Amino acid sequence: PRCAFYVDSFSPHAMGSGKPRGIKAGRKLSTMRRVNRWASKRYKKAHLGTQYKCNPFGGSSHCKGIVLEKIGIEAKQPNSAIRKCVRAQLIKNGKKIAAFVPNDGCLNFVDENDEVLIAGFGRKGHAVGDIPGVRFKVVKVSGVSLIALYREKKEKPRS
């Protein structure tokens, strides 16, 4: 039979639980949580401030840039293709990035010295698929959506 002093291993106050318990344990618990939060990747990314320093967009979702040149980037193995991209210089901070131009033949709508709106590629700063080192895509060219140009809904303004 169980005695009166038996401590069940499933009880809420089992010994060896690893955290301080007691009436004055609150400060210890909160400081330990504050220290250990930095082990979480999401927390660290949100609070270190590197998204403003390291990210070319400086924390924003989209950014305008000027096209410097059109480039073709070879796809990674096992694929074999030349992915059509542009090198663009961002207006807000002068950083130069490579951005993918989606859809078949859309590179013909983009000319050098055009103003393009660039967005992320959907993996929070990682390259997507078989395009090495390209983390961004072109969304608009001189104020007109690239999809509208592709579907022939609109024309690029003459300038």
Side-chain angles (χ1 to χ4, degrees):
R2 288 184 164 169
C3 66
F5 304 109
Y6 180 80
V7 178
D8 193 9
S9 61
F10 298 109
S11 78
H13 298 294
M15 285 183 67
S17 64
K19 56 179 78 111
R21 301 186 183 280
I23 204 159
K24 296 196 173 178
R27 175 178 284 136
K28 179 81 171 180
L29 286 167
S30 61
T31 52
M32 290 315 294
R33 174 59 53 231
R34 190 165 64 235
V35 168
N36 292 331
R37 248 190 219 147
W38 290 99
S40 161
K41 188 178 177 184
R42 273 181 67 190
Y43 181 86
K44 205 167 197 170
K45 197 171 186 181
H47 290 83
L48 261 183
T50 50
Q51 63 183 355
Y52 305 114
K53 298 179 196 168
C54 306
N55 182 8
F57 283 11
S60 57
S61 61
H62 295 70
C63 206
K64 280 185 176 176
I66 305 293
V67 175
L68 300 175
E69 59 174 342
K70 301 182 187 181
I71 50 175
I73 293 180
E74 284 188 30
K76 285 185 191 170
Q77 287 292 347
N79 295 348
S80 173
I82 293 173
R83 303 282 177 228
K84 308 304 184 283
C85 302
V86 293
R87 285 208 46 88
Q89 184 165 20
L90 301 183
I91 292 170
K92 71 191 275 184
N93 52 22
K95 289 183 179 175
K96 294 181 178 130
I97 57 170
F100 177 66
V101 183
N103 295 331
D104 187 13
C106 272
L107 194 68
N108 298 330
F109 298 123
V110 183
D111 299 316
E112 287 188 20
N113 301 319
D114 272 355
E115 189 180 82
V116 288
L117 184 72
I118 299 171
F121 216 161
R123 274 198 64 197
K124 296 190 174 122
H126 287 278
V128 175
D130 60 4
I131 317 173
V134 178
R135 299 155 48 191
F136 308 99
K137 67 180 176 188
V138 175
V139 182
K140 283 183 173 183
V141 183
S142 44
V144 182
S145 164
L146 206 60
I147 293 170
L149 293 169
Y150 179 67
R151 295 184 179 156
E152 297 175 4
K153 303 278 186 196
K154 286 185 182 176
E155 282 191 11
K156 200 170 147 190
R158 303 270 178 257
S159 58

